[in-house]
């Protein structure tokens, strides 16, 4: 993209012509914009799962201020591999009083990662808003959607570090650029199912 703001418009352009009705679109915090949410839900009849960070300070403050400590953990998982042990816990709340279009739930994902070589422990919290109701997606399904998006982001990070993609000024309509945009959007036609519960 020519600059970061053009990435916002590029999401709508990327999805143009695709049948995304009923699909779940995940995107990074740059796309956590009211216009993006309205476009996906009202115009395209899709759902969103969007990371919330400080680029939307009002929304981020609202989400962080929710009574997370009072809520039970609804889903947890642990993995060991690649020289680390990682645990994730997920809490989900319905989204009352959240000023963001079509938000039905808010998630807090707590990641605890221990480097098995150095013993260093890193704890992070990620906050996510979604237009999916609790009936459409429980904590386990939402955790899977978030984890799937993080895998895409990790791939992009590796490609950027290895190939300097973000710094590249080469812009074509070739498969390489389209493929990256496809992956970073997290679009999945296979995710049209609407299981209930966890």
């Amino acid at each position: 993209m020519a600059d970061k703001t053009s990435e916002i418009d590029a999401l709508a352009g990327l999805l143009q012509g695709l049948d995304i009705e009923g699909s779940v679109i995940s995107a990074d915090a740059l796309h956590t914009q009211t216009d993006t949410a309205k476009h996906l839900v009202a115009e395209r009849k899709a759902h969103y799962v969007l990371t919330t960070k400080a680029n939307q300070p009002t929304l981020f403050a609202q989400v962080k201020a929710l009574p997370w400590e009072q809520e039970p953990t609804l889903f947890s998982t642990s993995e060991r591999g690649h020289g680390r042990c990682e645990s994730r816990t997920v809490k989900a709340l319905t989204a009352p009083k959240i000023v963001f279009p079509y938000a039905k739930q808010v998630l807090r994902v707590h990641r605890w990662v221990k480097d098995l070589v150095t013993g260093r422990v890193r704890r992070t919290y990620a906050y996510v808003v979604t237009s999916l109701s609790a009936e459409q997606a429980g904590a386990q399904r939402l955790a899977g959607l978030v984890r799937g998006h993080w895998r895409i982001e990790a791939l992009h990070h590796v490609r950027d570090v290895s190939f300097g993609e973000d710094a590249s000024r080469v812009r074509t309509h070739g498969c390489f650029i389209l493929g990256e945009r496809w992956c970073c959007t997290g679009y999945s036609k296979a995710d049209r199912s609407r299981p209930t519960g966890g």
Side-chain angles (χ1 to χ4, degrees), residues 93-119:
L93 294 167
T94 56
K97 302 179 185 174
I98 296 297
V99 182
F100 195 74
Y102 307 102
K104 299 276 178 61
Q105 292 188 84
V106 181
L107 274 71
R108 185 181 82 170
V109 181
H110 177 209
R111 293 176 67 206
W112 181 91
V113 181
K114 180 178 182 179
D115 185 307
L116 297 175
V117 175
T118 66

Side-chain angles (χ1 to χ4, degrees), residues 127-190:
Y127 298 94
V128 177
V129 292
T130 181
S131 60
L132 292 162
S133 68
E135 293 76 29
Q136 293 170 310
Q140 184 173 353
R141 180 174 182 221
L142 291 172
L145 291 167
V146 170
R147 181 73 169 149
H149 183 79
W150 285 345
R151 286 185 177 129
I152 294 167
E153 289 291 327
L155 173 63
H156 177 261
H157 175 75
V158 169
R159 288 173 55 174
D160 185 40
V161 169
S162 300
F163 303 111
E165 287 183 344
D166 284 352
S168 175
R169 295 291 140 219
V170 175
R171 302 293 179 240
T172 69
H173 297 289
C175 293
F176 179 77
I177 299 299
L178 180 58
E180 178 185 23
R181 290 179 184 165
W182 185 266
C183 287
C184 289
T185 303
Y187 171 75
S188 173
K189 288 291 256 188

Side-chain angles (χ1 to χ4, degrees), residues 49-53 60 63-64 66-69 71-79 86-93 105-113 122-130 138-151:
V49 173
L50 300 171
T51 303
T52 304
K53 291 185 179 177
F60 189 58
V63 169
K64 280 185 71 174
L66 290 171
W68 294 111
E69 298 310 318
E71 295 301 316
T73 297
L74 299 177
F75 178 71
S76 63
T77 183
S78 295
E79 297 175 5
E86 180 174 344
S87 296
R88 288 180 301 281
T89 60
V90 178
K91 295 183 177 189
L93 294 167
Q105 292 188 84
V106 181
L107 274 71
R108 185 181 82 170
V109 181
H110 177 209
R111 293 176 67 206
W112 181 91
V113 181
R122 182 174 42 107
R123 292 176 54 166
T124 59
Y125 291 95
Y127 298 94
V128 177
V129 292
T130 181
Q140 184 173 353
R141 180 174 182 221
L142 291 172
L145 291 167
V146 170
R147 181 73 169 149
H149 183 79
W150 285 345
R151 286 185 177 129

